[in-house]
Amino acid sequence: MKLYFWMFLLFILLPIVSCNDTTTTEVTTQTVAVTTVNDLLVMTFQNDIHPLSSYNGSYDTTIDSSSPDSNLSSNSVLQVGSYSGAVYRSFLRFDVSEIILDDVEVVKAYLTLGGAGTIGTAPDVGVYKVTSSWGATQTTWNNSYSSTTWTSAGGDISESPAGSKTNLAGVTFSLDTDMVRDWILDSNENHGIVLKSLDETTNEGYIAFVSNDDTFVERLRPKLTVYYRLVY
């Protein structure tokens, strides 16, 4: 009789233990804090702040057509536009590997930048997908790496914008959700983005944003916010 009792108890408890284990596994795949907004999971990426103070997975650089072999990754600002015969573009990449999932639906994603000022007339800025890898401390107008040239000078990028401006005062861009989803599911697809003027022929001015190398106001550094839900 005792044997049957313990077999019965094991039969009842086993599914409960298995269920708890599964839940724990799903939670621990998120290695950092995740918030929720209207039933969506939200994760933010910003060097030295989000998702943890130890995060340092974002890097950037400006390239300058008038100094095509100069690397400007140590600058405290990111320049975008055209002025005095020079065209400025700025490259950004965020490591989003903290979101570890088999599948995910990205509902919305935003890039937020801190404005550092303008020279001349601020241009209309677009966000474009970068289609090949690059090294921030080596990238120039001509090269993606020290010994590797871009397929096209100025960077290998998509023809159409992958992001639109939603608030220039706060400087927030809405990003293409499929692009961000690809970054999450396969880091090899993550070559980041480039900010460039929608019309680089105007030669009227450029806008400067705070870069990751700014040491004075960390909260103004580039920030990526991703709203997503799990796909089962």
Side-chain angles (χ1 to χ4, degrees):
M1 185 68 177
K2 290 182 179 181
L3 178 60
Y4 285 117
F5 171 79
W6 288 113
M7 290 178 64
F8 173 79
L9 189 60
L10 180 62
F11 177 80
I12 294 298
L13 290 178
L14 186 57
I16 298 175
V17 173
S18 300
C19 180
N20 286 340
D21 286 346
T22 301
T23 302
T24 301
T25 301
E26 290 177 358
V27 171
T28 55
T29 56
Q30 301 296 338
T31 59
V32 292
V34 179
T35 59
T36 58
V37 176
N38 296 330
D39 297 325
L40 295 177
L41 300 172
V42 184
M43 188 173 285
T44 301
F45 301 88
Q46 187 177 35
N47 277 1
D48 299 317
I49 301 176
H50 304 290
L52 293 171
S53 59
S54 59
Y55 177 77
N56 195 34
S58 174
Y59 53 83
D60 54 46
T61 189
T62 294
I63 59 174
D64 176 358
S65 67
S66 66
S67 299
D69 296 313
S70 298
N71 176 265
L72 307 174
S73 61
S74 61
N75 286 5
S76 61
V77 295
L78 299 171
Q79 296 163 270
V80 182
S82 56
Y83 188 70
S84 294
V87 175
Y88 303 97
R89 298 176 178 178
S90 287
F91 286 72
L92 276 161
R93 185 184 183 277
F94 292 86
D95 178 0
V96 294
S97 60
E98 295 291 355
I99 303 179
I100 308 171
L101 298 167
D102 291 331
D103 202 358
V104 61
E105 176 191 0
V106 176
V107 178
K108 50 188 176 180
Y110 298 109
L111 170 68
T112 304
L113 301 172
T118 59
I119 296 294
T121 302
D124 291 324
V125 177
V127 178
Y128 294 78
K129 178 181 178 179
V130 182
T131 58
S132 64
S133 63
W134 50 281
T137 59
Q138 304 172 54
T139 299
T140 67
W141 187 267
N142 287 334
N143 287 19
S144 55
Y145 292 96
S146 297
S147 58
T148 305
T149 59
W150 295 109
T151 302
S152 300
D156 301 335
I157 64 177
S158 61
E159 293 184 6
S160 301
S164 59
K165 180 173 52 186
T166 59
N167 177 14
L168 186 58
V171 202
T172 299
F173 296 85
S174 177
L175 301 181
D176 181 88
T177 55
D178 288 335
M179 176 183 69
V180 177
R181 178 179 180 272
D182 289 342
W183 295 350
I184 295 170
L185 299 183
D186 185 357
S187 61
N188 293 320
E189 293 290 326
N190 184 2
H191 303 306
I193 54 179
V194 62
L195 303 168
K196 77 182 199 72
S197 171
L198 295 177
D199 184 357
E200 295 180 323
T201 66
T202 61
N203 201 39
E204 293 179 350
Y206 66 81
I207 186 169
F209 303 111
V210 174
S211 80
N212 280 307
D213 287 279
D214 183 272
T215 58
F216 294 101
V217 189
E218 293 180 350
R219 62 181 179 81
L220 294 181
R221 290 175 180 171
K223 179 172 66 175
L224 173 68
T225 306
V226 182
Y227 294 75
Y228 63 100
R229 61 171 59 98
L230 307 182
V231 175
Y232 297 101

